[in-house]
């Protein structure tokens, strides 16, 4: 149309242009819609699965390791709720009035136990080279999604803030995953090992039944979470390192536990492989999950945009300079619970109860609790 | 409104009279007349009852808006009328160019505001490395110190029903509210542990022997900081989320002035132990807010800000919160007015008085410690009392890279 044209030719072109434009608008709209749908579908695809993972439902999980044995009591034992009531350690009733069910106050020695557990755990994992962190507990919902959770799904575990795109975190994995969002890290920085202490908030929508009594399932709790960013070739190695750290922590506290290689049906979207630790809880008369260690390979890093630049130049080209650097690759991310405080309190109270109603504090925690050795019944 | 109430009662009375008349044996025309009269009364009554309900609500709202009384010694006026009660220490003298806490934090790799801005928004932060140990050290030391003074340690829910927030004297849904609300529920995030602790004994009558009840609660606190702007918002000085140890006392009315003095003394002892230079202010009436009868603020010298900054606040709320929360106690001496024995002799329950005071607001303490204890070589010395609670750490030193 830029050239010199006969009027009738111009008119014909104008009409043709108009038709093309309308047709294009419709197609572009369809393309955008399909691109969105494709993105949604793609986001729905879970991670790959490690070849050694047992295939099947929860009952197909395989025991990797079993440590200790159930303590033998020569007397009628109590569950943590009864111990807590008698030793004036928590208050669920007042919390139900103030906040709702599955909330609680910790009191007296239980507060020292929480602080002792957190401080001891942080101290132990720092010795292993983990960088201690505290994190925001309010995050943008987009970050929650990129980590593989669904903030606005039905039965979501995520609390949302009214009038904003923000949510409360259910685990420090989320804000820690977000630290290096949309970045390219120098290879020399890897592995990056963080130990993050935060409060965690979960709606527990859809959770019902006996396994919700007392501290076993609550809406708010303290947790120390380990998070590792590493090169892809090393993630299996760091998965083994993380589960070893967890097992050492629980063995130090004298717990009886088993480590499970979780079956494929239990992995959830982000995990390539997941090891759960279940500890013996005498009051519940069964094993209860106290920690989980997942290798998410590049599932989260692809969504969060976390890459690293390998330092060796590509040998394919003889040219020197920037063109020789290998292209950035996605890191692998792993996360593992170092200490989930309420479940640990359940374990410690139930396993270390004495006939006179007191509870003994495991040795490693005592220096972090001002030397306290026993939680004794209080004279009234 | 009392006129309305009387009218309503009068009409109710008439309606009952008509209803009673209808029970007897009547001529059909008489019955019909009474039925119509009853119907008119019912309609008129319905309208009036609706008005009464509306007025009762309005009265409740107005009443809730009335702030607490004010202690006679409180200076009258705006913030600049506050009176200095006590001044401790003096500004440290530095022989070198000093840095503010943000610069110190950056150089010592102690916090990250930039990553937090991406992940969460402005005024959020990660603490890293020794700053985490400093937070844990401050909390553990503070709890240990106040427990020695008889305070019961607590951790609290950080999600509470909005009705509890209101009863403590805050307005969760006002314009420029400080309160975050949870979507799809009547719950909010707490801005201070004062709220969940105040709620523990809601709608209760306590035995007098339990008083005073002294709690030291550790919690995270969440504030929208809506309407806060300006230079006093840099770095850790004004943030959306922080850790705090809060003291909360429930006592007999005659004793609240006494416990107010005890609380401020505890705070001053804590800050003196850390070697801070600070002043305690008796806040002027214009600065009290609705619940406080009297309020003492402590402001510490922050060299990087080149001014004093508030690090704690101790309020005597007398019965403002306890009336709304329904917290009463039963005095143990029987009333001497009646010679009869037994339950009728017990004095009627009275409202307790409540007080709250900040034992440790972690980010502001971190600002103070970093800025006051910085050394020429860029390191920061840890005050002695905190060292046993930080694994013996004495210095935060620059890291070799």
């Amino acid at each position: 149309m830029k050239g010199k044209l006969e009027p009738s030719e111009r008119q014909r072109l104008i009409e043709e242009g108009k038709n093309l434009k309308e047709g294009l608008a419709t197609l572009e709209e369809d393309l955008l819609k399909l691109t969105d749908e494709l993105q949604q579908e793609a986001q729905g695809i879970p991670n790959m699965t490690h070849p050694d993972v047992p295939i099947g439902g929860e009952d197909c999980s395989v025991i990797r390791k079993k440590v200790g044995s159930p303590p033998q009591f020569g007397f009628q034992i109590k569950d943590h709720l009864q111990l807590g009531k008698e030793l004036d350690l928590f208050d669920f009733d007042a919390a139900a009035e103030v906040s709702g069910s599955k909330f609680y106050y910790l009191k007296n020695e239980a507060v020292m136990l929480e602080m002792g557990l957190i401080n001891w755990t942080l101290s132990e994992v720092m010795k292993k080279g983990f960088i201690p962190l505290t994190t925001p507990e309010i995050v943008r919902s987009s970050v929650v999604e990129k980590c593989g959770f669904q903030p606005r799904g039905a039965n979501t575990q995520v609390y949302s803030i009214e009038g904003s795109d923000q949510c409360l975190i259910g685990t420090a994995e989320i804000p820690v995953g977000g630290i290096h969002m949309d970045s390219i890290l120098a290879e020399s920085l890897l592995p990056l090992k963080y130990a993050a202490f935060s409060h965690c908030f979960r709606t527990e929508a859809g959770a019902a039944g006996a396994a919700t009594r007392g501290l076993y399932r609550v809406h708010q709790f303290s947790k120390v979470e380990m998070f590792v960013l590493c090169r892809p070739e090393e993630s299996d190695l760091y998965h083994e390192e993380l589960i070893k750290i967890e097992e050492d922590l629980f063995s130090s506290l004298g717990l009886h536990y088993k480590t499970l290689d979780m079956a494929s049906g239990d992995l959830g979207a982000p995990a390539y492989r997941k090891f759960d630790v279940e500890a013996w809880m005498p009051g519940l008369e069964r094993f209860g999950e106290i920690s989980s260690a997942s290798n998410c390979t590049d599932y989260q890093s692809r969504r969060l945009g976390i890459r690293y630049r390998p330092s060796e130049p590509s040998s394919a080209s003889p040219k020197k300079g920037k063109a020789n650097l290998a292209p950035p690759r996605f890191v692998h991310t792993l996360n593992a619970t170092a200490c989930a405080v309420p479940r640990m309190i359940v374990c410690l109270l139930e396993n270390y109860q004495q006939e006179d109603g007191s509870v003994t504090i495991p040795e490693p925690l005592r220096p972090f609790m001002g030397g306290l050795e026993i939680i004794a019944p209080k004279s009234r």
Side-chain angles (χ1 to χ4, degrees), chain A residues 170-187:
Chain A
T171 162
E173 176 191 340
I174 298 171
V176 178
I179 292 178
H180 299 292
M181 266 194 331
D182 302 317
S183 306
I184 301 178
L185 307 168
E187 190 178 20

Side-chain angles (χ1 to χ4, degrees), chain A residues 184-190 307-311:
Chain A
I184 301 178
L185 307 168
E187 190 178 20
S188 56
L189 277 181
L190 304 179
R307 295 179 294 169
Y308 77 101
R309 192 175 292 282
S311 41

